[in-house]
Amino acid sequence: MCKKLFFLISVALVLSLAGYALAQDGVIPASGAPVIDGLRDPNWLISDEHKMLNISVNQDNPPSDDNDLSCSWLGIWDTQYLYIFVDVNDDSLWNDSPRAWEDDSAEIMIDIGNDDMGLGEEPNKYGADDYHYLVAWNVTETREIEEFKHGPRALVGVEYELLTKDDNFGYTIEIKFPWSTLDFDDRGISVNDEMGLEVQVNDDDDGCARERQVAWINTANVAWRDPSSFGTVILGAGLQACCPTPSDGATGVIVDLLEWVAGIHAASHEVYFDPCENWVTIRSPLCYINGVSWVDPCYPVPGLSPETTYYWVIDEVNGAGPPPGAWAGNVWEFTTAPLKAHSPDPYDGAQLVDLDADIFWGVGYYADGHKVYLDTSENLVNTRSPLCEVNGVSCADPCYPLATLKKDTTYYWAIDEVNNTGPVWSGDVWEFTTVPEPGIGKILCEVWRNIDGSEVNDLRNDPRYPDSPDSNSTVTLFEDPTGGDYYGTRMHGWLYIYASDTNDYTFWIASKDQSEL
């Protein structure tokens, strides 16, 4: 069995729908990405409008009419983000309290696992995948969005816009949450996934404490502490095809079948596929690969070329549902694997690698097996000496469990891809260096240049991250020595704590733009 290596401390810096039988309180359909500007663009048309009618605070003080308070929320999603739109009518807006929930504000609670479980599997408590966000209204400038359970980590990549309506008669909030920030990306986003959700609005009419709170599901003020009180929502299909396999932007792909989730009104599918992005974008007949509309949400593509980027799009052809015509899809892309092994883990040049780490790699396009070479001698690995062929025979899986490695040692390794018909594709020689003796205090500083943006996600979304930093070095303090602008840094090292050092430890981080501990 192979184990992934990990580091104990790491910091990053950067300068209405039918057809669902599952039990749910609502469906959030897939759609195109809206512009985050506080306005409802056409992408929101597919969403149901979920009204907040339950009074969860001060039940004996309901709104006098819809002008006093009426509100609703909408939701859509794609493979990168969850989008929520909150629409509030309110004829008296206040923002003068130190506690934002005592003023006019909206709260969004999310339970990604919909498991109602807290830390330590404690039921009905907030856990690692439960989030509580609040956006407060302000007539002059928007307070920063808050998240009460996880702190700054839960705000990475979250974007929103708050607009006050004419004559201060309410407000709208449009917000997008990256699935990666919500810890949903490793699970794989797909139609019929479910999660817990609650949306509620606080109403202050006179500048004192809030008069009331209204909620979508709750009739008591418990959602802030109990995720089991949330509603259940299902991620549904939209009008367009969604959830492509291979996923959009995937690399190292070995595939002979394209698959997708069909749009809810699709009777058939028009498939366009080609290495030429322009042909696919303009729907050229030269890349209309099936020639006629296809019934099943999958299409075979045998005989693809290695190390080639392919573009494809699915246009959904209308069945019984309105409007007539086809729903044009988004253009997706993927890149097939090269002939040689690729994407080494640990990455080439990695430092501070765990002593019981295993090695992993991306499979070459025609590989049926893998020969593994590893040694502290670069020359032995380069010449493929039998002395460093660690497995002796070709192994089937693209990973290999190593014996315990030596401390503070540089290892060289290579993978030769083997095909059962005879060909062998020799791989590049990679290297990594293991952790030093405890107490030496080396910290790895990795730098990526030319990062356009000022958020941690701008670094994460760069195709070079995390395996291809522009430079790396070891330092003795958790202080970034990099100078200049437009760069991202990741620093990580080992914290050694002996059994006799049992204490509470507090870690903090500060940076010019955005950072994450």
Side-chain angles (χ1 to χ4, degrees):
M1 182 174 179
C2 295
K3 308 179 293 296
K4 282 281 189 179
L5 64 107
F6 64 95
F7 295 97
L8 294 181
I9 301 178
S10 179
V11 296
L13 311 174
V14 293
L15 275 167
S16 93
L17 297 176
Y20 294 91
L22 299 173
Q24 82 273 335
D25 299 292
V27 174
I28 295 180
S31 185
V35 177
I36 304 301
D37 56 6
L39 301 172
R40 288 198 211 183
D41 66 29
N43 289 293
W44 291 103
L45 293 175
I46 191 174
S47 174
D48 283 339
E49 189 165 0
H50 305 275
K51 294 186 179 297
M52 288 170 260
L53 301 175
N54 295 319
I55 302 176
S56 48
V57 172
N58 295 339
Q59 288 90 344
D60 58 348
N61 186 19
S64 58
D65 54 31
D66 285 349
N67 293 331
D68 187 5
L69 182 67
S70 58
C71 42
S72 61
W73 68 270
L74 300 88
I76 54 179
W77 67 282
D78 59 28
T79 54
Q80 290 185 296
Y81 295 96
L82 168 68
Y83 305 90
I84 299 292
F85 192 100
V86 181
D87 192 334
V88 179
N89 290 323
D90 187 347
D91 58 9
S92 179
L93 298 174
W94 292 84
N95 190 333
D96 60 350
S97 301
R99 298 186 299 182
W101 58 88
E102 296 289 3
D103 291 325
D104 287 289
S105 57
E107 300 180 59
I108 301 169
M109 289 89 154
I110 302 170
D111 177 5
I112 285 297
N114 199 34
D115 51 14
D116 305 333
M117 302 296 286
L119 297 174
E121 297 302 307
E122 188 176 1
N124 306 334
K125 297 287 182 70
Y126 272 73
D129 61 358
D130 304 320
Y131 300 83
H132 180 184
Y133 293 91
L134 183 147
V135 179
W137 172 82
N138 190 312
V139 71
T140 55
E141 63 180 29
T142 305
R143 281 181 176 173
E144 288 297 316
I145 185 173
E146 299 179 71
E147 201 286 321
F148 297 105
K149 308 302 180 182
H150 301 276
R153 181 188 70 78
L155 298 175
V156 173
V158 176
E159 297 180 20
Y160 74 99
E161 185 67 41
L162 184 147
L163 287 184
T164 301
K165 297 181 179 181
D166 291 344
D167 300 322
N168 285 351
F169 194 76
Y171 56 93
T172 60
I173 298 170
E174 188 172 23
I175 185 168
K176 68 177 184 179
F177 303 95
W179 293 119
S180 56
T181 296
L182 298 174
D183 295 327
F184 209 155
D185 56 335
D186 290 337
R187 307 165 190 242
I189 311 302
S190 185
V191 167
N192 284 341
D193 283 340
E194 67 175 51
M195 64 182 185
L197 182 72
E198 177 62 291
V199 184
Q200 55 193 34
V201 167
N202 300 301
D203 182 25
D204 179 9
D205 286 343
D206 56 12
C208 298
R210 63 185 169 186
E211 268 61 43
R212 63 191 64 85
Q213 178 188 83
V214 295
W216 176 46
I217 296 294
N218 274 265
T219 56
N221 185 25
V222 297
W224 63 273
R225 58 179 171 82
D226 182 2
S228 70
S229 68
F230 299 176
T232 296
V233 294
I234 302 296
L235 300 183
L239 298 174
Q240 297 172 305
C242 66
C243 303
T245 301
S247 60
D248 187 27
T251 59
V253 171
I254 301 174
V255 69
D256 57 9
L257 184 70
L258 305 177
E259 299 178 272
W260 61 93
V261 172
I264 56 175
H265 295 310
S268 59
H269 322 277
E270 295 181 347
V271 183
Y272 299 85
F273 179 82
D274 201 82
C276 176
E277 183 178 11
N278 183 58
W279 281 8
V280 174
T281 300
I282 66 174
R283 292 1 184 222
S284 168
L286 296 174
C287 65
Y288 186 20
I289 62 175
N290 51 327
V292 295
S293 194
W294 195 252
V295 175
D296 297 322
C298 61
Y299 194 83
V301 285
L304 300 183
S305 300
E307 208 163 3
T308 301
T309 298
Y310 290 92
Y311 302 89
W312 60 300
V313 68
I314 307 298
D315 288 348
E316 300 292 58
V317 180
N318 181 45
W327 286 280
N330 298 312
V331 175
W332 301 313
E333 67 178 85
F334 64 86
T335 302
T336 52
L339 294 171
K340 299 189 298 184
H342 59 94
S343 306
D345 182 2
Y347 66 82
D348 188 26
Q351 301 184 50
L352 302 177
V353 173
D354 191 3
L355 299 181
D356 63 352
D358 299 322
I359 53 177
F360 302 78
W361 59 91
V363 177
Y365 197 78
Y366 295 118
D368 295 313
H370 321 277
K371 287 190 174 182
V372 182
Y373 301 86
L374 182 137
D375 201 87
T376 56
S377 167
E378 184 177 11
N379 183 60
L380 287 180
V381 176
N382 246 328
T383 60
R384 301 309 196 257
S385 168
L387 297 175
C388 66
E389 188 176 349
V390 297
N391 53 332
V393 295
S394 179
C395 67
D397 297 323
C399 64
Y400 195 81
L402 302 177
T404 301
L405 302 171
K406 297 177 182 179
K407 301 171 183 175
D408 206 11
T409 301
T410 298
Y411 286 87
Y412 302 90
W413 61 299
I415 306 296
D416 287 352
E417 299 293 59
V418 180
N419 184 274
N420 291 338
T421 61
V424 176
W425 292 275
S426 296
D428 300 325
V429 175
W430 302 312
E431 65 178 86
F432 64 84
T433 302
T434 55
V435 293
E437 292 280 356
I440 291 181
K442 289 184 179 179
I443 298 165
L444 177 62
C445 177
E446 300 166 298
V447 179
W448 289 262
R449 298 285 183 182
N450 300 314
I451 299 297
D452 186 16
S454 59
E455 297 183 353
V456 172
N457 263 9
D458 295 320
L459 172 60
R460 287 199 184 104
N461 293 334
D462 190 283
R464 297 169 296 162
Y465 183 88
D467 294 335
S468 302
D470 293 318
S471 63
N472 63 63
S473 60
T474 55
V475 295
T476 57
L477 295 174
F478 267 109
E479 293 182 1
D480 179 16
T482 310
D485 296 313
Y486 302 107
Y487 69 90
T489 298
R490 181 174 67 170
M491 303 179 69
H492 48 131
W494 288 95
L495 172 67
Y496 295 96
I497 300 177
Y498 296 95
S500 59
D501 294 338
T502 301
N503 276 300
D504 293 329
Y505 294 86
T506 300
F507 299 91
W508 58 271
I509 188 171
S511 63
K512 180 179 179 181
D513 287 329
Q514 191 180 69
S515 55
E516 181 180 328
L517 181 62

